[in-house]
Amino acid sequence: MKNNFKILTLSILSLVGITSCTDLEIEETDSIISEGFQGLADPSSTITNLYGTLAGQYAGQEDYFALQEVTTDEHLIPTRGGDWGDNGLWRVMHTHDWDGQHTFIVNLFQNWNGNQLQASQVLDSRSNPSATNIGDASFIRAYSMWVILDNYGQVPYRDTSLPSSSVPEVLTGQAAVDFIIADLETAIANAPTTAAASGEANLRTNKAAARYLKAKVLLNKHIYVGGSPDSGDMAEVVSLVDAITADGYSLQEGYFDLFLPDADTETIWALEANTINKIVMGLHYNSTSIQGGGWNGFSTLAEFYDLFEGDSESNELDGSQNPADGQEERRGGVPTIGTDFAGQPYAADNSGYVNGSNVGYGFLVNQQYALDGTALKDRQGAPLTFKRDFKDGDGNINFINNDETTGIRIQKYAARNGDASLSHQIVFRYADAHLMKAEAMFRSGGDPTAMINDLRTIRNTQELLGTVSEQDILDERGRELYQEAWRRNDLIRFGQFGRDWLFKAPGTINNDDYNVFPIPPAQLLANPNLVQNPGY
């Protein structure tokens, strides 16, 4: 899939005339550019390819995921010896020291605008799209344009009916929101109604997915147009979520089971995106033999881990895989021994144990264990103990020169579920819709305490809340949706993306300029309608 994704991306770039970030000369040598677009011969095939492209863009730990997660308090990648230095590529994401030449920033802009262009080609009347094509393409274009608006604050749009040499117009603020909402209304009108727990049916656009995205856009609308949340928008968010509920979507018990390919009542929209990167990116090399071991990269801040109930210093499971340190279900835990193999779905036998079952779900801290219960060691022979703090060889808190064991690790898609990994990642989930409704109620003067407690009850938390504050809602979203690529969006909406956290560059603290990323320089040269964002 990765190679096909690269080929498709190059094709998209040639269509839109995008150039490399290191070569700012504009060349129009492709015959497609000079001849102009005349319609697609097979729009259904283009839609299929677009879903595959989205899956490739969503699967990895770089680009989209990195910009939504590593830029927050939820993820960071310290340099451990010679590992993960990459000329500061990952560090600047967390410290907010990025610029417009950063690979992830360039790629996100190019690739998601490429999605938009292909969707527009499907929607062109000369392509003779079916009603199903229109539903899919309208949704994909709206989603892609929203990603660009949310990350860059301005969206270039190419009208496929105009000459290919024309410069795309740029939509901002209300105009961008209106365009995206119109596409979503078209998607709602043309997409099928997919009942909850339909499994693979949720891999395509449905009315619930389009309503979910419309609610997400409206909840964030004041960020894009200025001002404060509009009560009418908040009322519509509530109505949209109620319509999703009417299709049978609901909260479901068994938190980590939700991330398996099995049908459930929470998955609104998923992609056939391989999960292996999300599994191995944080594990130590010796954590598991699956896929040759972990990458020993991604970790989380102790302050984020401390949002969850349980002993802050330990997160073990007992021999029956039950919480041993008072931790809530969503925090997961560290198994002290592997699970006996008995033909479990997605599992492989490893000497009588489920392969990878020594790796826990959720947050991994302190001593890690092998399948037989032996305490694991790092490559230097020291105990493999994932630590809260990031310290260098001199014992100082540092982003570089860490040893192999620093940082609490996260596992939402787990090693135990298959050596080949699973091609199923949730993009839109009902618990998020539930929390969006609660937030909309709160922002329009209502009391969402009962809704928040409904979620906490089904997640087996120890305590229910007596009242709910804005901070409580943000914290609950963090606990429920970690590693699902929503943290940056949430922190911006709650006014906390600029707050101080470990290793953030002083000049970026409380600086709203960093709420959007810079427009890549090559894009500014290619399209004079784009304007560089303030502060860059």
Side-chain angles (χ1 to χ4, degrees):
M1 178 179 290
K2 184 176 288 185
N3 289 335
N4 291 338
F5 165 61
K6 289 181 178 177
I7 292 169
L8 179 58
T9 300
L10 290 173
S11 299
I12 293 169
L13 299 189
S14 68
L15 285 171
V16 298
I18 294 174
T19 61
S20 166
C21 66
T22 58
D23 180 2
L24 301 186
E25 294 183 7
I26 308 302
E27 298 181 2
E28 292 191 354
T29 58
D30 195 308
S31 61
I32 296 178
I33 292 177
S34 60
E35 292 177 6
F37 176 69
Q38 299 299 322
L40 297 172
D42 186 0
S44 295
S45 178
T46 299
I47 290 293
T48 298
N49 289 338
L50 271 169
Y51 280 114
T53 298
L54 284 169
Q57 293 165 349
Y58 199 80
Q61 78 286 354
E62 70 291 326
D63 299 349
Y64 181 75
F65 184 85
L67 295 185
Q68 311 318 309
E69 296 282 14
V70 185
T71 60
T72 76
D73 58 347
E74 189 177 306
H75 278 292
L76 76 163
I77 302 94
T79 301
R80 300 187 178 95
D83 293 343
W84 292 93
D86 296 338
N87 296 315
L89 182 75
W90 296 96
R91 290 196 302 273
V92 299
M93 287 285 94
H94 186 72
T95 61
H96 289 198
D97 274 333
W98 56 71
D99 61 29
Q101 302 280 13
H102 194 287
T103 299
F104 301 156
I105 292 172
V106 171
N107 288 348
L108 186 75
F109 194 93
Q110 290 178 347
N111 294 340
W112 290 75
N113 276 312
N115 300 343
Q116 176 211 141
L117 174 60
Q118 284 201 306
S120 292
Q121 291 174 335
V122 172
L123 292 168
D124 191 299
S125 61
R126 293 168 292 180
S127 297
N128 296 313
S130 67
T132 300
N133 294 154
I134 291 171
D136 284 319
S138 296
F139 171 78
I140 291 172
R141 185 168 71 177
Y143 181 44
S144 300
M145 292 181 76
W146 174 74
V147 166
I148 296 298
L149 176 64
D150 190 63
N151 284 273
Y152 300 92
Q154 47 190 308
V155 189
Y157 167 67
R158 181 182 292 279
D159 186 339
T160 57
S161 67
L162 297 178
S164 298
S165 58
S166 64
V167 176
E169 66 176 309
V170 173
L171 305 175
T172 61
Q174 189 69 53
V177 170
D178 289 346
F179 194 105
I180 293 167
I181 292 293
D183 263 356
L184 290 171
E185 289 172 349
T186 300
I188 292 169
N190 287 275
T193 297
T194 303
S198 297
E200 297 306 301
N202 295 92
L203 296 173
R204 288 290 183 122
T205 304
N206 56 58
K207 292 186 188 300
R211 287 176 174 134
Y212 168 104
L213 184 54
K214 185 178 179 182
K216 183 72 72 174
V217 174
L218 291 172
L219 193 65
N220 289 278
K221 179 180 170 182
H222 64 287
I223 302 298
Y224 312 134
V225 305
S228 56
D230 178 79
S231 59
D233 290 335
M234 297 303 99
E236 189 167 2
V237 170
V238 171
S239 296
L240 287 162
V241 175
D242 286 345
I244 295 170
T245 307
D247 284 341
Y249 294 91
S250 63
L251 300 174
Q252 179 172 307
E253 294 181 346
Y255 183 67
F256 292 108
D257 290 341
L258 296 171
F259 303 96
L260 297 170
D262 300 333
D264 61 72
T265 62
E266 286 214 25
T267 302
I268 296 172
W269 182 45
L271 287 166
E272 291 185 286
N274 195 291
T275 64
I276 190 60
N277 289 20
K278 303 290 171 59
I279 293 171
V280 299
M281 65 189 192
L283 295 180
H284 186 268
Y285 315 104
N286 296 339
S287 294
T288 177
S289 62
I290 289 176
Q291 297 289 320
W295 296 348
N296 208 37
F298 283 60
S299 306
T300 192
L301 292 179
E303 68 177 65
F304 187 81
Y305 168 77
D306 288 342
L307 292 176
F308 295 79
E309 292 178 349
D311 187 336
S312 62
E313 300 299 326
S314 184
N315 200 43
E316 281 195 355
L317 304 176
D318 63 23
S320 300
Q321 308 290 301
N322 296 314
D325 293 313
Q327 68 265 41
E328 62 178 271
E329 179 185 16
R330 293 175 296 194
R331 204 174 83 172
V334 177
T336 54
I337 193 169
T339 301
D340 291 339
F341 181 77
Q344 293 94 329
Y346 314 114
D349 184 12
N350 187 335
S351 302
Y353 296 102
V354 171
N355 198 24
S357 61
N358 60 305
V359 177
Y361 279 109
F363 292 79
L364 310 183
V365 63
N366 289 346
Q367 181 64 55
Q368 307 298 298
Y369 299 90
L371 285 167
D372 63 1
T374 303
L376 288 171
K377 296 181 179 181
D378 67 14
R379 294 183 299 178
Q380 283 70 48
L384 184 56
T385 53
F386 294 145
K387 300 175 177 65
R388 292 170 57 91
D389 295 327
F390 299 88
K391 294 184 178 180
D392 61 22
D394 296 323
N396 300 314
I397 299 296
N398 206 328
F399 214 153
I400 61 174
N401 299 325
N402 280 229
D403 69 26
E404 293 183 359
T405 66
T406 58
I408 300 167
R409 315 304 172 88
I410 301 178
Q411 288 282 282
K412 208 157 195 177
Y413 296 94
R416 68 186 60 216
N417 293 322
D419 186 41
S421 74
L422 305 173
S423 293
H424 178 91
Q425 287 196 43
I426 296 177
V427 188
F428 297 166
R429 187 158 65 85
Y430 183 78
D432 187 4
H434 180 88
L435 288 168
M436 285 197 288
K437 177 180 175 179
E439 182 182 338
M441 290 172 58
F442 178 85
R443 294 191 185 283
S444 53
D447 182 5
T449 303
M451 287 192 68
I452 300 295
N453 282 334
D454 285 345
L455 178 61
R456 292 180 61 78
T457 297
I458 207 164
R459 300 297 184 236
N460 297 313
T461 59
Q462 301 287 324
E463 299 178 3
L464 299 180
L465 302 179
T467 58
V468 166
S469 66
E470 184 173 276
Q471 188 65 50
D472 290 327
I473 297 173
L474 176 62
D475 290 348
E476 198 64 33
R477 289 189 61 82
R479 287 185 286 264
E480 180 67 24
L481 299 167
Y482 67 88
Q483 212 173 48
E484 295 182 50
W486 291 119
R487 188 62 174 171
R488 171 188 164 275
N489 177 266
D490 287 345
L491 288 175
I492 291 171
R493 192 171 64 257
F494 282 83
Q496 295 192 30
F497 192 59
R499 68 173 174 77
D500 193 9
W501 56 62
L502 184 65
F503 301 131
K504 182 179 277 191
T508 69
I509 296 170
N510 297 322
N511 188 337
D512 288 344
D513 288 345
Y514 293 90
N515 285 355
V516 292
F517 297 108
I519 306 299
Q523 303 296 335
L524 294 171
L525 184 60
N527 186 348
N529 291 328
L530 288 166
V531 178
Q532 186 57 274
N533 286 318
Y536 295 109

